[in-house]
């Protein structure tokens, strides 16, 4: 199965920081969207941050000013720097990529998820 590969995550105390990274599938030769979603226990999946097709950044209100999304286009990698983490940021974080592969055309791809736990 073709998936983005996520790195990072783990356990951190409230107020701490963590970084996530995600490599897009190598079969993609054009990418128009990359971002992060999260899902906490008992809650719906929600957008955290993303690069839209025009290259602009979009953040959930709950993370604005604390999280920063960035990308390395040469490496097809997207990063999420999370500062001042709160207990409500605890969730499984999923990388999402929208890209084009010659074999399958345009598709959305999602990683397996990485756990972020904010707890003292």
């Amino acid at each position: 199965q073709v998936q983005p590969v996520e790195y990072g995550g783990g356990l951190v105390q409230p107020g701490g920081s963590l970084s996530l990274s995600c490599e897009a599938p190598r079969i993609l030769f054009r990418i128009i969207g990359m971002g992060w979603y999260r899902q906490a226990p008992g809650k719906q999946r929600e957008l955290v941050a993303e690069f839209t097709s025009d290259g602009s950044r979009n953040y959930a209100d709950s993370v604005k000013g604390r999280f920063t999304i960035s990308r390395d286009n040469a490496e097809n990698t997207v990063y999420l720097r999370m500062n001042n983490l709160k207990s409500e940021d605890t969730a499984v974080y999923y990388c999402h990529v929208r890209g084009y592969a010659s074999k399958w055309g345009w598709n959305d791809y999602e990683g397996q998820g990485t756990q972020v736990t904010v707890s003292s």
Side-chain angles (χ1 to χ4, degrees):
Q1 188 174 0
V2 176
Q3 288 182 299
V5 179
E6 298 143 336
Y7 301 92
L11 174 65
V12 65
Q13 292 186 341
S17 298
L18 276 177
S19 292
L20 306 179
S21 64
C22 169
E23 297 177 356
R26 295 181 180 272
I27 62 168
L28 301 178
F29 69 87
R30 187 175 177 199
I31 294 172
I32 61 172
M34 299 183 81
W36 296 91
Y37 287 75
R38 68 185 180 187
Q39 188 165 17
K43 294 188 176 181
Q44 289 187 333
R45 188 167 298 189
E46 63 174 356
L47 172 70
V48 178
E50 66 175 350
F51 281 100
T52 61
S53 57
D54 65 1
S56 60
R57 294 174 174 85
N58 184 34
Y59 294 95
D61 287 342
S62 60
V63 307
K64 284 180 181 177
R66 300 188 297 122
F67 290 14
T68 302
I69 190 170
S70 60
R71 65 188 292 178
D72 182 336
N73 289 329
E75 298 294 331
N76 282 345
T77 300
V78 64
Y79 304 92
L80 185 68
R81 177 63 178 177
M82 304 180 289
N83 295 326
N84 190 21
L85 282 159
K86 305 176 180 180
S87 58
E88 52 263 42
D89 295 317
T90 295
V92 178
Y93 284 69
Y94 297 90
C95 176
H96 181 270
V97 177
R98 176 165 293 174
Y100 184 88
S102 57
K103 185 175 182 179
W104 296 301
W106 290 102
N107 275 294
D108 293 321
Y109 299 85
E110 187 172 87
Q112 290 187 326
T114 184
Q115 178 70 46
V116 172
T117 301
V118 184
S119 175
S120 55

